Amino acid sequence: MVKNIQILLAIIIVSAFGFSTYAQKINEPQKINPEWSQPYQPFRIVGNVYYVGTYDLACYLIVTADGNILINTGLAASASMIIKNIEVLGFKVSDIKILMTTQAHYDHLGAMADLQKLTGAKMLVNEKDAKALTDGGISDYELGKYGVTFKPMRVDGKLQNGDTIKLGDARIVMLHHPGHTKGSSSFLFDVKEDHRIYTVLIANMPSIITDEKFSNISSYPDIEKDYAYTLASLKKLSFDLWLSSHASQFGLHTKRKPGDAYNPHAFSDKEGYEKSISELEEQYVKKLEQK
């Protein structure tokens, strides 16, 4: 059953971490792609949806009359860049009311705790990734080996597959697409512009990051099944425009150059989407054949 998650959620305190006094060492893995922290000009994607991320780490601002929604924040050091991008577009960071993420990894929510503290916004997350948010990623089946990889944060609402997040006229459906993390999520929603309605998909592509055989990952016994489920689910989705967690995954830099005119149709690349899913499925099959 689809549940409506309202902005007036009662705050669920699930973490005892103090944000102003937090002193535990943050250990981001050392091999970080330089494109993850490279600046990129923010722009309007379609209607009330804006790209405010870095060159490769996609962050999305969804603007409504009752406040705004921010999906992803990039690395911890990218907080000032994300804030600047939002302000360059003419919006106030203080108007952010809801924070969400496509996955509980340091490259997509490294700055989330700081933005949560700055804005007072409510953090809504797939229930399967909630523990990782509150322990700084220690419980992640793969990246947990690095220890705390991002500042732990408060979780204000736990989402289940099919839940609808409401703010103003925005209605965003969270889709449970596990595998990359236990609670990886995609988001599907409609954007009205003039007399046209665009269905927009922010897809969390299920890339495989572990070198271990699936059968050897005791902390995530359902990983093989979850990847299969996610790949099948992604194939069935209908949309007009698609985006993802990384700009490189949806070909942002071939579809748009800084300064290009507003053109939502640049992101209607269904052929590219199907090709990406097919390539990920091939990786999954090879993983199953791993000795």
Side-chain angles (χ1 to χ4, degrees):
M1 180 181 294
V2 175
K3 301 176 183 177
N4 291 329
I5 306 299
Q6 305 288 347
I7 184 59
L8 296 178
L9 284 168
I11 293 177
I12 304 170
I13 302 298
V14 294
S15 172
F17 290 97
F19 301 102
S20 61
T21 59
Y22 184 76
Q24 189 170 356
K25 179 177 172 56
I26 306 300
N27 185 32
E28 289 184 346
Q30 292 182 348
K31 293 182 179 180
I32 293 179
N33 186 331
E35 293 184 345
W36 288 3
S37 57
Q38 184 177 331
Y40 191 75
Q41 182 186 65
F43 67 97
R44 183 186 182 199
I45 299 170
V46 59
N48 63 335
V49 183
Y50 298 82
Y51 187 95
V52 295
T54 70
Y55 187 87
D56 188 57
L57 297 180
C59 306
Y60 302 102
L61 186 73
I62 300 171
V63 176
T64 86
D66 292 338
N68 304 332
I69 299 168
L70 179 65
I71 300 175
N72 293 344
T73 65
L75 299 167
S78 298
S80 59
M81 191 185 307
I82 304 307
I83 291 170
K84 180 181 178 181
N85 284 348
I86 292 170
E87 293 175 342
V88 163
L89 290 169
F91 302 111
K92 296 179 181 179
V93 175
S94 59
D95 286 337
I96 296 173
K97 304 302 179 184
I98 294 178
L99 298 167
M100 297 194 293
T101 187
T102 52
Q103 56 184 263
H105 279 163
Y106 70 97
D107 52 329
H108 300 290
L109 46 67
M112 195 70 78
D114 288 340
L115 280 166
Q116 182 184 53
K117 180 180 178 181
L118 177 66
T119 64
K122 291 179 169 59
M123 183 73 214
L124 308 183
V125 67
N126 186 318
E127 62 178 357
K128 298 296 184 180
D129 266 356
K131 188 174 189 300
L133 263 65
T134 61
D135 65 23
I138 290 177
S139 59
D140 184 86
Y141 70 91
E142 176 64 17
L143 299 189
K145 63 189 177 185
Y146 295 103
V148 177
T149 52
F150 54 84
K151 285 185 183 179
M153 65 204 74
R154 184 188 71 240
V155 170
D156 301 304
K158 298 179 183 180
L159 304 171
Q160 296 180 2
N161 186 47
D163 279 350
T164 299
I165 300 92
K166 292 184 177 182
L167 183 64
D169 58 359
R171 301 290 183 271
I172 303 174
V173 178
M174 190 281 282
L175 303 174
H176 178 53
H177 284 158
H180 191 77
T181 67
K182 293 180 180 180
S184 287
S185 302
S186 299
F187 300 99
L188 191 67
F189 53 98
D190 288 341
V191 174
K192 296 180 181 179
E193 185 173 60
D194 297 328
H195 301 293
R196 174 77 190 268
I197 296 178
Y198 294 91
T199 297
V200 179
L201 170 66
I202 299 176
N204 194 69
M205 308 304 273
S207 57
I208 297 172
I209 59 172
T210 181
D211 292 328
E212 293 287 337
K213 290 180 61 176
F214 286 153
S215 59
N216 291 343
I217 305 175
S218 59
S219 60
Y220 191 1
D222 293 330
I223 186 170
E224 180 179 329
K225 180 176 67 175
D226 279 357
Y227 267 109
Y229 165 80
T230 295
L231 288 164
S233 176
L234 286 166
K235 288 181 182 179
K236 298 174 184 177
L237 297 178
S238 296
F239 56 86
D240 297 305
L241 312 176
W242 78 282
L243 311 162
S244 192
S245 303
H246 288 262
S248 55
Q249 290 176 331
F250 65 96
L252 169 60
H253 304 297
T254 61
K255 296 173 180 176
R256 183 190 183 279
K257 304 299 181 184
D260 279 358
Y262 174 64
N263 181 21
H265 297 284
F267 305 102
S268 62
D269 178 27
K270 291 188 178 181
E271 183 179 345
Y273 176 81
E274 291 171 356
K275 181 181 178 182
S276 294
I277 299 301
S278 178
E279 290 173 350
L280 288 167
E281 192 166 38
E282 289 176 6
Q283 294 173 17
Y284 172 73
V285 171
K286 287 182 180 179
K287 190 69 175 178
L288 297 182
E289 296 170 348
Q290 182 177 342
K291 302 297 183 180

